[in-house]
Each structure stands twice: as structure tokens, then as C-alpha cells.
Amino acid sequence: MVQTQKEIQPPSADAPPEIGAIAAALRSGDIRTCARLISRVERGEPGLVPLLQALYRVGGRSRIVGVTGSPGVGKSTLVSKLIGFWRKRGLRIAVLAVDPSSPFSGGAVLGDRLRMREHTCDEGVFIRSMASRGQLGGLAKAAGDALTVLDAMRWDVILIETVGVGQNETDIMRHASVVVLLQTPMGGDDVQAAKAGITEIGDIFVVNKSEHPEADRTVSQLEEMITLGLCLHPETTWRPPVVKTRAINGEGVAELADHIDDCFAHLAGQPEAARRQLRERAKHRVGELLHYMLEQRLRSDSGQLLEDSIDAVMKRDSDPYALAAELLARMD
Amino acid sequence: MVQTQKEIQPPSADAPPEIGAIAAALRSGDIRTCARLISRVERGEPGLVPLLQALYRVGGRSRIVGVTGSPGVGKSTLVSKLIGFWRKRGLRIAVLAVDPSSPFSGGAVLGDRLRMREHTCDEGVFIRSMASRGQLGGLAKAAGDALTVLDAMRWDVILIETVGVGQNETDIMRHASVVVLLQTPMGGDDVQAAKAGITEIGDIFVVNKSEHPEADRTVSQLEEMITLGLCLHPETTWRPPVVKTRAINGEGVAELADHIDDCFAHLAGQPEAARRQLRERAKHRVGELLHYMLEQRLRSDSGQLLEDSIDAVMKRDSDPYALAAELLARMD
């Protein structure tokens, strides 16, 4: 299914007809083609690889911004206001909202989509929710594929919205050049920000629901963490600002948008550091794809051996280490 | 490093001296040996596999209970009270607290450990925090190894505490037979419980900080979700109860402990369903180990090729799909 590098070309007269047609439709901004392709990506269609390769090779021009934070902090509302702000300036915006994976139901709740309804009739806005289909590693892989599709469309801004803490979410946030980390002033005791574990990936901190009496205290705590160097980004010497917002009525959104611009300007002023970041990101993406391919292969080749041998593991006559080693040996 | 199945035996006179000595120390309840071994597991020492295999084969007798929920809901306080409750009944308790992985710092915050200080002089209690060392998939693998160690010690209860949402956390929760899902009454709007995405893995729901005026409304919402079948566990016909607690002063903790007992009794009454669960859990563990082994191999074999080829990907002369396929081909 995966073709070698030489066989793949950016869309051209020689490319398979599907690739050329889809790439052309995407470049003309066709939202239906985009939506349909992301659905195919979500289903994990293996035949899509040549198309995704071609799309990757024409991408790299959109600004990718991540917005993350725990459930209930107001991410979707803030994203909706950011869209409104940027639309007034004529920017075209795509949103990829990645719901936490539910390994048992695979279901996504449509709340986010409902909250963004005001933008659904605007051709300059594309909003898409993704949910895990329960595949280990599948969500991050599919999200990366979806970003490849969006990136090839050259949206001015691609917003990735993910829910808070977790390896999957931080993995997805690695695709973003600038990450906005949202919290509310009601986050419990002082160590919560640090405990959330994703503080280090935030380029801009937002304290939403700024009308709350604890808002200023939360801002101070974050400023203190930054001063202590806990959130500094030494590779780019960027000092994360802390912004108060009240997403529900749009307060602070213009300021946040300015900080996002500043962060991109800062990156542009440090080409070597920016290059290192891109390099790490590309390596991460390769690793993610390799992981996925290995898993697909395992499923097809070793499923029966796993079924046949698992009873011995359960009876403790064997063990998971022995069986994993056997499966690995079988793959060679 | 990995030995074949036949060469491995449960600790006996024939086993390598280290394996026999460590296994004997663990079985006598030696906490220092346990702590040291988990540190080695965390460092990912490859030579530990034969020992872990031997330990796995003598395990399977501890009750493994998961406690999960977002930061700040009061997990550590509740766990501390549960320990106190069970200790009074003479049970030996181990706690494995898994902090969210921080891909940039790898750091763990010691708040949880501090909060559990009251139990640290009790030989019938073992408390251990783990944090990711930044390895993709490494945390879940190391947590599984640590559980293998604890399980071989035959603690009456092993509590796994993880922070909320995320694939890593839900993966770790799969090791538990009974999962307690904590939330607070302050969780924002109505869809938050569903959005958290881990509702389906909860066997028992706890609404902590029950003194809050919204507590009863949160309980009703959860009861409603359960009645609607959103949280039913059809394979075991278990209906998750909803318990109100106030962990800070121990209110509701006895009731929670009763529900945990009930859930184990329910499982015991459904041997076929319990067996299916164990089977899925064992398969998941094998997959996790295989993943880890593949990654180790990739790091050692393909690191240079990745370094050499990533620039072409960054320049978009190549793409991550092509490079991943090349790395995969190289592995064969």
C-alpha cells in the first residue's frame, strides 16, 4: 500500500486521477472534498497514503495553533470567538476539535460542534470534530493525517482544539507551532497548574472566566511559575504571556490574538530555533506513522497466534513478556 | 534479552540467584526490595525481563482498584482515607500513583506523596509515584511492570491512581478490575461528564466535595446517564452506583469501600464475564509490551537513517509516510 518515495510526485498531469482531482479541489478551497477526505482518513483507509503524501509535499504554509485545557474551561467558546475575530480581518480558519478517546464507546459528544454553529454557514470557516475509534495510537495518527489535508488547503490559521491532559493530547499538540493553554480560576489548589503536566507545552496561558474572584490569584500563580523558569522555552527564549479572557462575551480575545501573532513573529525572528522545532515535529510524525504501520501489520499477521496463546498467559503458565517476544520474532 | 517461554520458571532453586532472592524478598513483603525494583522498572532496565516473567507467573491474587479523575477532584485525599479504612480491617495496601506524562520536563510533582505522608510509617502500606520519562508508550509499559511487581507481593488491594482524561491513563486503568471515577460537583455544564470520555470505564462513580450545593444535581445527572445506559457494563450486567463523598473528613468512604467489595463480588458471581475481562486485559498487556519492544528496536536500528532523512521531509521533497515506510522496510 505504501509506495516508495520515488513513485510519489506532487499532484501533476501524471498523478493518478483521484490524487490530481482531489488536490485541485482542495486547493480551490472545496470544503465538501475536505470533509469527505477527513472522513476517509478517520476510517483509516490504507489506499489514501499516496494522496496524503502528495498533499504533505504541497503543505507547510498554514499557521497551526493549538488550544488545550481541561473539560469545562471554555475552549470551544474561546475558539468560536477567535474565529469571529480573525474572520473580521479576512482570515480563513479551519478547526480540528479532537475529543478524548473513549476506548469503550468510541463516541464523540457534539457539544463543541453545537457551540460553533454560528460559523457553519461561513465558507471561510471549516470545523471538524474527530474522535478515537478505539485504536491505540490511531487518533494521533488520524489527526496528523487530517492536519495534512487542512494544511494542503492553505487555511490562514488551523486551530487544533484538544481536551487537556494525556499523552494523546500532548502528541496532537506537537503539530501546533503555538499552543494556547486554557485554565479557569477554579482549578483547586496551587499545584494544579504544574500537575496538569502540560504546562510546559503552553506558549500562551489563558485564564478564562476572568470574572471569577480567584482569577487574579491564578494569573499571579502562573506569572510566578513563568518567572521561576518552569514554563520558559529556552530554545526560543520565548516568555509565555498570561492573558485573562472572558470567552462568553469576547473579553480579552483581541489581546489573545495579538499574543498569538507575537509568538509567530518571535519564531520567525529565530529561524534556527524554529527549524529545530520543525525538525522535531517531523521526526515525531514519522515515528507516529511507523508505530501505526507496525500495529496494522501486527493485527493482520499475529492476531491468531495471540488468540491461541493468551489462555496460557491467563493461567500464568506463560506470561505477556514471553508472548510479546514470540510475536516479535514471528514478525521478522 | 527476552528469553523464550520454556527457559523461564517461577522462582526455584534452579532460577538465576537474583531472581530467586528478589522473588523471595518480595513474597516476604520486603518494601525496600519492592521500591528498588520499581525504580529499576522505571529506568527501563532491559535485563529485568526474566525476573518480571517469573513474578508475573506467581501473581494474579491482588485486588486491583483504579481511582481516576481530573486534577483537583480530590483523588489523593480519597485514596488516603480508603487506605485508612482498609488498614483498620487489617488489609495490606499498595498505591501506584501515575502522574500525567510531561513530555518536556519528565517531572513529577510530589503533592500526592506529601498528602499521603500519614501512611508512610506503616509497613502494611506501600505508596509509589511514577512519572513518564518522556518515552512514548513507556509510562503505560512501566506502570504495567510495576503492577506485576506489586501483584507478586500479594497485597490485598493495589490502588492505581491516575489523573483523568487521556489514552495513557485509560490504558493504565485497564489493569484494574474495578475503576472508581471521581468528579466534583463543580464540573461546568451538563455534558462534561460525557465529554471526559472515561465515563465508560467507571464501575463506581464518586461525587466528591459533597458539601457543594451542586453535588446533588451532579449525582442526578450521573444517575440519569446510567439509567440511559450510557455507563452500563453489558458484559457483566453491573450497574455503576453513584456515591457522594467528602474525602477531606472521610464522609462516604465506608460506603465507597462497600461498593468496591460489591463490585468484586459481582465479578466473582459471573466467572465467564470475569474471564473475558481478564483475557482482554492480558491481550492488551501483550500488545503494550510488543509496542515497547518495537520502539526499542527502532531506536537502536533506525535512528541514524531518521536523522539523515528528516531534512528532506522538512523541505517537503519527501514526506513522513515515505520515510516511515522506508524505516519499516529496513526493520525486516
Side-chain angles (χ1 to χ4, degrees):
Chain A
M1 238 79 80
V2 177
Q3 297 179 28
T4 64
Q5 192 175 324
K6 288 185 203 79
E7 289 167 307
I8 303 303
Q9 297 293 333
S12 73
D14 310 332
E18 196 206 35
I19 293 185
I22 291 178
L26 290 179
R27 279 205 279 185
S28 75
D30 183 352
I31 282 180
R32 270 161 177 262
T33 301
C34 171
R36 235 178 275 133
L37 185 52
I38 292 180
S39 295
R40 294 173 68 189
V41 153
E42 270 200 294
R43 287 195 296 269
E45 278 188 28
L48 286 180
V49 169
L51 174 58
L52 290 169
Q53 291 185 283
L55 295 178
Y56 180 87
R57 294 183 186 207
V58 298
R61 297 177 193 223
S62 298
R63 285 186 167 185
I64 305 184
V65 177
V67 177
T68 190
S70 300
V73 295
K75 288 182 300 298
S76 299
T77 309
L78 188 72
V79 163
S80 186
K81 298 293 177 187
L82 270 175
I83 293 172
F85 182 88
W86 281 325
R87 285 302 292 145
K88 278 191 201 131
R89 273 149 191 75
L91 300 180
R92 294 165 59 248
I93 316 289
V95 178
L96 188 68
V98 183
D99 280 6
S101 57
S102 166
F104 290 81
S105 75
V109 174
L110 298 176
D112 290 343
R113 265 194 256 190
L114 294 179
R115 241 166 292 180
M116 291 189 190
R117 198 157 38 188
E118 56 182 300
H119 299 294
T120 49
C121 295
D122 179 349
E123 278 287 305
V125 177
F126 176 80
I127 297 170
R128 175 69 184 221
S129 289
M130 288 183 95
S132 169
R133 295 288 171 259
Q135 285 184 312
L136 214 156
L139 179 60
K141 190 264 183 191
D145 289 345
L147 286 171
T148 299
V149 172
L150 293 172
D151 191 29
M153 290 182 79
R154 303 184 184 176
W155 296 94
D156 294 304
V157 181
I158 302 172
L159 276 169
I160 320 173
E161 186 200 320
T162 72
V163 171
V165 178
Q167 187 74 57
N168 232 328
E169 286 71 33
T170 49
D171 280 352
I172 290 166
M173 277 298 130
R174 286 183 189 223
H175 294 290
S177 298
V178 172
V179 173
V180 177
L181 180 59
L182 227 73
Q183 37 188 110
T184 58
M186 298 160 279
D189 59 37
D190 298 359
V191 295
Q192 293 314 328
K195 272 184 76 172
I198 47 172
T199 314
E200 295 88 348
I201 72 169
D203 298 300
I204 298 168
F205 291 86
V206 172
V207 176
N208 194 28
K209 305 186 183 175
S210 59
E211 73 281 12
H212 193 278
E214 294 287 291
D216 288 322
R217 199 172 69 94
T218 307
V219 170
S220 309
Q221 282 173 11
L222 287 168
E223 294 280 13
E224 212 169 288
M225 283 180 63
I226 291 161
T227 303
L228 284 169
L230 293 174
C231 312
L232 274 182
H233 295 228
E235 70 282 5
T236 59
T237 66
W238 170 254
R239 185 190 157 98
V242 183
V243 192
K244 273 200 295 187
T245 61
R246 201 174 161 189
I248 201 88
N249 68 3
E251 272 173 47
V253 168
E255 197 193 339
L256 171 60
D258 283 346
H259 281 297
I260 293 171
D261 282 346
D262 288 348
C263 196
F264 276 104
H266 186 88
L267 272 172
Q270 311 228 332
E272 254 318 298
R275 209 182 143 277
R276 274 198 302 277
Q277 277 194 356
L278 281 177
R279 195 181 160 88
E280 283 312 305
R281 200 180 305 161
K283 281 166 70 173
H284 179 77
R285 177 73 178 141
V286 171
E288 198 168 77
L289 288 169
L290 183 58
H291 233 90
Y292 182 78
M293 289 174 186
L294 285 168
E295 194 146 320
Q296 296 300 106
R297 183 191 280 198
L298 177 66
R299 265 166 223 260
S300 56
D301 293 357
S302 311
Q304 197 54 49
L305 175 60
L306 181 61
E307 288 297 332
D308 294 344
S309 310
I310 201 70
D311 281 327
V313 174
M314 287 173 63
K315 286 181 202 146
R316 313 244 165 197
D317 294 332
S318 179
D319 61 78
Y321 304 88
L323 182 51
E326 201 182 331
L327 290 169
L328 187 68
R330 186 71 71 90
M331 284 176 65
D332 290 333
Chain B
M1 243 76 82
V2 177
Q3 298 180 25
T4 63
Q5 194 174 323
K6 287 184 204 79
E7 289 166 308
I8 304 301
Q9 296 293 332
S12 73
D14 311 330
E18 196 206 36
I19 293 185
I22 291 178
L26 290 178
R27 279 204 279 184
S28 76
D30 182 352
I31 282 181
R32 272 161 175 261
T33 301
C34 171
R36 235 178 275 134
L37 186 52
I38 293 180
S39 295
R40 295 173 68 190
V41 153
E42 270 200 294
R43 287 195 297 269
E45 278 188 29
L48 286 179
V49 169
L51 174 58
L52 291 169
Q53 292 185 283
L55 295 177
Y56 179 87
R57 293 182 187 207
V58 297
R61 298 178 193 219
S62 298
R63 285 186 166 185
I64 305 184
V65 177
V67 177
T68 190
S70 299
V73 296
K75 289 183 299 298
S76 299
T77 310
L78 188 72
V79 163
S80 186
K81 298 293 179 189
L82 270 175
I83 293 172
F85 182 87
W86 280 324
R87 285 303 292 146
K88 279 192 202 131
R89 273 151 192 74
L91 299 180
R92 292 164 61 248
I93 316 291
V95 178
L96 189 69
V98 183
D99 280 6
S101 56
S102 165
F104 290 80
S105 75
V109 175
L110 298 177
D112 290 345
R113 266 194 255 188
L114 294 179
R115 241 166 292 182
M116 291 188 190
R117 199 157 36 187
E118 55 182 301
H119 299 295
T120 48
C121 295
D122 179 350
E123 278 286 305
V125 177
F126 176 81
I127 298 171
R128 176 69 184 223
S129 289
M130 289 183 96
S132 171
R133 295 288 172 257
Q135 286 185 312
L136 215 155
L139 179 59
K141 190 265 182 191
D145 289 345
L147 286 171
T148 299
V149 172
L150 294 171
D151 191 29
M153 289 182 79
R154 303 185 183 172
W155 296 93
D156 294 305
V157 181
I158 301 172
L159 276 169
I160 319 173
E161 187 199 320
T162 72
V163 170
V165 178
Q167 187 73 58
N168 233 328
E169 286 72 33
T170 48
D171 280 352
I172 290 166
M173 277 298 129
R174 285 183 190 224
H175 294 289
S177 298
V178 172
V179 173
V180 178
L181 181 58
L182 228 74
Q183 36 188 110
T184 58
M186 298 161 278
D189 58 35
D190 297 0
V191 294
Q192 292 314 329
K195 272 183 78 172
I198 48 171
T199 314
E200 295 88 346
I201 72 168
D203 298 300
I204 298 168
F205 292 86
V206 172
V207 177
N208 194 26
K209 306 186 183 176
S210 59
E211 73 281 11
H212 193 279
E214 294 286 291
D216 288 323
R217 200 171 69 94
T218 308
V219 170
S220 308
Q221 282 173 7
L222 286 169
E223 293 280 15
E224 213 170 287
M225 284 180 63
I226 291 162
T227 303
L228 285 169
L230 294 173
C231 313
L232 273 183
H233 295 227
E235 70 282 7
T236 60
T237 67
W238 170 255
R239 184 190 159 98
V242 183
V243 191
K244 273 200 293 187
T245 61
R246 201 174 161 189
I248 200 86
N249 67 3
E251 272 174 45
V253 169
E255 197 193 339
L256 171 58
D258 283 346
H259 282 297
I260 293 170
D261 282 345
D262 288 349
C263 195
F264 276 104
H266 186 89
L267 273 173
Q270 310 227 334
E272 254 318 300
R275 210 182 141 280
R276 274 197 302 276
Q277 277 193 359
L278 282 177
R279 194 181 159 87
E280 283 313 306
R281 200 180 304 162
K283 281 165 71 174
H284 179 75
R285 177 74 179 140
V286 171
E288 199 168 77
L289 289 169
L290 183 58
H291 234 89
Y292 181 79
M293 289 174 185
L294 286 168
E295 193 145 323
Q296 295 301 104
R297 182 190 282 198
L298 176 67
R299 265 167 222 261
S300 56
D301 294 357
S302 310
Q304 197 54 49
L305 175 61
L306 180 61
E307 288 297 331
D308 294 344
S309 309
I310 201 71
D311 281 327
V313 173
M314 287 172 64
K315 288 182 201 143
R316 312 239 168 203
D317 294 331
S318 179
D319 61 78
Y321 304 88
L323 182 52
E326 203 182 332
L327 290 168
L328 186 67
R330 186 71 72 91
M331 284 176 65
D332 291 335

